[in-house]
Amino acid sequence: MLSVTFLGTSAARPTVERNVSAVALVREGETLLFECGEGTQRQMMRYGVSFALSEIFFTHFHADHFLGVIGLIRTLGLQARAEPIMLYGPHGAKKVLTQAIQLGVERIPFQVEIREVKPGEVLGQRAAGNVQRDSYEIHVFKTEHGGGSVGYALREHERRGRFDVEKARAAGIPEGPLWGKLSKGEPIELADGRKLTAESFVGPKRPGRAIVFTGDTRPCASVVDAALGADLLIHEATFGEEERDRGC
Ligand SMILES: [Zn+2]
């Protein structure tokens, strides 16, 4: 299960109905947040995005992309969070995000780690909080928006084949843990003594999905490369064609 929730689609200025930048990606029960514009925590509540997230990814540090982290971190503190949270961003992340985290007089009761990333870097396996990054990677790539902005591509490893529910039912396998075992490719034994292997119930392996996320950027070759073959490309556009000169 993979879902993408657009929490902010109004670029740099909010409207009554739409907020500034933020996208939540939920995959296998894990929530990743990309950007955290002002008011993102309210959008998370509104659209049912879990606060039990462990990682936030920033593409650059224009205020419309990160101001929301100030309030979100406070709310997590008020919720008595104990698990650390990891914030990723390009060069400047340490300075800007440290200032954001320290703004105000509250003490943050959990660890906030800030990691600066570079284009070409691959964020691989990591097991912390609710993150179990063992079946996908996040590739960092260059975008063109000044100040060393980056984009992120979530690339899944090859996935298990699809479990054929109808076939399992027809074979009289009771729904529950046995379905789970078969779908993972493990053999099972039924109460009546029948021994079954997974092959006849699980389809061929499937290619991993790729979700590519850029913040603001001029059209550039690195985004095209990153987005090649992607299932979904999410990018931002602040200025319409009539304001082209302001945008470039
Ligand atoms: Zn920007």
Side-chain angles (χ1 to χ4, degrees):
M1 169 75 182
L2 191 155
S3 74
V4 174
T5 304
F6 291 84
L7 297 169
T9 54
S10 148
R13 272 190 308 185
T15 66
V16 173
E17 295 297 329
R18 294 165 66 177
N19 206 43
V20 291
S21 299
V23 168
L25 193 151
V26 179
R27 186 189 164 280
E28 310 287 344
E30 179 188 325
T31 301
L32 305 174
L33 190 61
F34 292 88
E35 320 283 41
C36 189
E38 178 192 352
T40 292
Q41 57 173 327
R42 289 290 309 267
Q43 294 293 85
M44 292 168 74
M45 294 174 201
R46 193 171 171 195
Y47 295 106
V49 172
S50 170
F51 275 51
L53 78 172
S54 297
E55 298 186 308
I56 307 176
F57 300 85
F58 297 91
T59 62
H60 66 292
F61 293 105
H62 282 153
D64 53 312
H65 288 253
F66 79 90
L67 282 185
V69 79
I70 299 170
L72 175 60
I73 293 282
R74 267 64 182 177
T75 300
L76 296 176
L78 290 171
Q79 290 174 339
R81 181 189 176 103
E83 302 80 40
I85 194 163
M86 184 73 111
L87 311 180
Y88 298 90
H91 179 68
K94 284 219 162 103
K95 181 169 172 238
V96 175
L97 292 174
T98 300
Q99 287 171 342
I101 302 313
Q102 289 175 348
L103 189 65
V105 294
E106 301 91 343
R107 197 185 70 81
I108 309 300
F110 57 91
Q111 196 189 350
V112 181
E113 291 177 50
I114 301 166
R115 179 161 161 200
E116 295 196 351
V117 294
K118 289 196 180 78
E121 206 170 318
V122 177
L123 308 172
Q125 193 153 10
R126 172 174 136 80
N130 73 348
V131 178
Q132 299 292 334
R133 192 159 35 243
D134 54 3
S135 53
Y136 70 95
E137 288 160 351
I138 291 181
H139 295 241
V140 183
F141 62 91
K142 180 173 163 286
T143 61
E144 284 187 25
H145 189 48
S149 60
V150 297
Y152 299 95
L154 183 148
R155 300 189 188 284
E156 290 183 326
H157 301 167
E158 192 176 53
R159 294 182 298 150
R160 290 199 293 256
R162 199 178 294 283
F163 180 61
D164 193 329
V165 169
E166 294 309 318
K167 250 186 179 175
R169 278 213 181 94
I173 307 167
E175 192 172 343
L178 291 177
W179 282 26
K181 278 191 160 182
L182 275 183
S183 69
K184 285 184 199 146
E186 297 168 17
I188 60 162
E189 185 170 347
L190 294 175
D192 61 12
R194 275 188 295 154
K195 289 182 181 159
L196 300 170
T197 55
E199 288 86 77
S200 32
F201 300 96
V202 178
K205 285 194 171 175
R206 294 170 288 173
R209 294 161 292 194
I211 312 289
V212 176
F213 182 84
T214 82
D216 314 288
T217 179
R218 293 188 185 97
C220 61
S222 53
V223 172
V224 174
D225 286 349
L228 208 65
D231 295 273
L232 179 65
L233 167 65
I234 303 164
H235 67 83
E236 182 160 340
T238 299
F239 298 111
E241 191 61 26
E242 70 283 3
E243 292 177 297
R244 188 185 180 92
D245 292 345
R246 278 179 80 190
C248 290

